[in-house]
Amino acid sequence: MVTDQDPIPPEALPPRWGLAELCDDQFVYRHSRPPIELIADCTLADRSHPGLGLCRCWELRYRYFLTDRTICRSIGRVSTRRAAVDGLLECMRSIHETVSAADDPVAVGQVLERVSLADLIPNGLSRSSPPSL
């Protein structure tokens, strides 16, 4: 994929969200208030089941800035870049709808814990008809 193209078109972003960083293996979206970043980072799939055959996956994280420190937490992992884009967009929408004026990192964390990444997992392989004998 070309790195000069935003993973999420600006018109699809909730208010006050914008692209902060973009490269082949990572993209970061930033919100102005509360000050938060949502990160999608391509990483080794070292914790996935070996039978799945995954060597890379996308880890979704958030980073929250306080005056004296930065909090960084994992949201979860997904198998594809498309699922990472969809997952970050769902996180943005959840934060926008729920934490609009709060500056509380606990509230942000609680909202992101409720985002289900399970909906982004493919339903499985399509079944083909059995071979005829």
Side-chain angles (χ1 to χ4, degrees):
M1 178 171 182
V2 180
T3 57
D4 62 349
Q5 183 180 7
D6 293 0
I8 303 171
E11 61 274 6
L13 295 172
R16 296 187 304 260
W17 284 97
L19 184 65
E21 295 177 36
L22 176 63
C23 63
D24 287 337
D25 291 338
Q26 184 183 63
F27 48 93
V28 179
Y29 282 87
R30 186 173 294 142
H31 188 269
S32 57
R33 190 110 178 118
I36 187 172
E37 290 180 343
L38 294 175
I39 304 153
D41 191 17
C42 190
T43 186
L44 293 176
D46 56 349
R47 291 187 288 176
S48 68
H49 189 281
L52 295 175
L54 295 176
C55 60
R56 309 275 295 165
C57 66
W58 288 83
E59 182 173 17
L60 306 183
R61 297 187 313 267
Y62 72 97
R63 188 168 34 217
Y64 196 94
F65 302 96
L66 300 173
T67 54
D68 60 342
R69 63 188 169 139
T70 301
I71 297 169
C72 190
R73 300 272 192 272
S74 178
I75 299 168
R77 290 183 173 203
V78 293
S79 59
T80 66
R81 187 176 198 275
R82 179 77 247 163
V85 167
D86 292 344
L88 287 191
L89 191 54
E90 183 59 30
C91 289
M92 288 179 212
R93 289 180 182 143
S94 295
I95 290 169
H96 175 71
E97 292 170 0
T98 312
V99 190
S100 60
D103 286 337
D104 182 8
V106 174
V108 170
Q110 289 172 341
V111 167
L112 293 175
E113 285 176 8
R114 290 191 300 262
V115 172
S116 174
L117 299 178
D119 296 338
L120 305 174
I121 298 171
N123 290 332
L125 300 174
S126 61
R127 293 186 179 180
S128 59
S129 57
S132 56
L133 299 176

